[in-house]
Amino acid sequence: MVLESLARIVKVQLPAYLKRLPLPESVGGFIRLTVSEWLRLLPFLGVLALLGYLAVRPFLPKKKQQKDSLINLKIQKENPKVVNEINIEDLCLTKAYCRCWRSKTFPVCDGSHNKHNELTGDNAGGKPRSSVPLPKLITAVLKQKASQKAVLRQWLSQQP
């Protein structure tokens, strides 16, 4: 039953439809077509455009896949996430610096690498932490400066 209907469409109805189409003999004839003739011609032109696209599509350049836009190409690929933490004694201030270049607060990390890693399967990002013990560092520098000044004063007092 289905094949009979399909055969009837291809052998009888399609040729009859094509005979009724207002196809002009020249390019200039398209300009003289009326609105109703264009409306009858529109489905046929749509099918032709679709078939043309399907024929050309294999030769069109492929869209870049998310997987192709990996950031980390070779560093520690066996790890699920590359994270390097640098801990300094007596940490007081800790900053996480962005390594994936996707942070909205660059150069400080905002966790954008997590979404990127989910989308692409990449392992970029992580939060390399760099800390500077400012209060203790400042105290140590001031003590060193004070001792240097004391040594300098002592030396100056001994000079004639």
Side-chain angles (χ1 to χ4, degrees), residues 76-96:
Q76 298 179 20
K77 294 302 279 185
E78 67 280 358
N79 295 341
K81 186 186 279 189
V82 178
V83 178
N84 296 325
E85 290 192 20
I86 302 167
N87 294 322
I88 301 173
E89 293 177 17
D90 301 319
L91 300 179
C92 295
L93 298 175
T94 301
K95 293 278 186 190

Side-chain angles (χ1 to χ4, degrees), residues 87-108:
N87 294 322
I88 301 173
E89 293 177 17
D90 301 319
L91 300 179
C92 295
L93 298 175
T94 301
K95 293 278 186 190
Y97 294 102
C98 175
R99 295 188 300 169
C100 73
W101 292 84
R102 297 183 188 281
S103 174
K104 290 181 178 65
T105 58
F106 191 83
V108 179

Side-chain angles (χ1 to χ4, degrees), residues 9-157:
I9 290 171
V10 171
K11 291 181 179 179
V12 177
Q13 291 177 344
L14 187 60
Y17 170 74
L18 292 175
K19 284 181 187 176
R20 288 191 317 265
L21 283 179
L23 288 173
E25 305 254 339
S26 67
V27 176
F30 281 100
I31 296 171
R32 291 186 290 274
L33 289 177
T34 64
V35 174
S36 64
E37 290 173 330
W38 271 108
L39 289 176
R40 286 193 347 226
L41 198 55
L42 199 58
F44 175 69
L45 293 176
V47 169
L48 283 181
L50 177 65
L51 291 174
Y53 171 73
L54 291 175
V56 172
R57 192 172 93 183
F59 304 106
L60 295 175
K62 304 261 188 260
K63 285 186 178 179
K64 194 173 187 179
Q65 298 292 326
Q66 282 287 350
K67 197 81 169 167
D68 293 343
S69 63
L70 296 178
I71 296 169
N72 180 15
L73 299 177
K74 57 186 174 184
I75 298 172
Q76 298 179 20
K77 294 302 279 185
E78 67 280 358
N79 295 341
K81 186 186 279 189
V82 178
V83 178
N84 296 325
E85 290 192 20
I86 302 167
N87 294 322
I88 301 173
E89 293 177 17
D90 301 319
L91 300 179
C92 295
L93 298 175
T94 301
K95 293 278 186 190
Y97 294 102
C98 175
R99 295 188 300 169
C100 73
W101 292 84
R102 297 183 188 281
S103 174
K104 290 181 178 65
T105 58
F106 191 83
V108 179
C109 178
D110 68 355
S112 295
H113 59 275
N114 292 325
K115 184 176 180 184
H116 167 78
N117 289 349
E118 284 178 25
L119 288 174
T120 63
D122 199 0
N123 67 350
K127 294 183 178 181
R129 298 187 187 280
S130 174
S131 303
V132 179
L134 287 179
K136 292 207 174 194
L137 177 65
I138 291 170
T139 304
V141 168
L142 291 176
K143 283 182 182 177
Q144 185 179 8
K145 292 284 183 190
S147 67
Q148 287 175 348
K149 284 182 183 177
V151 169
L152 184 60
R153 278 193 198 124
Q154 185 180 9
W155 181 79
L156 285 174
S157 65

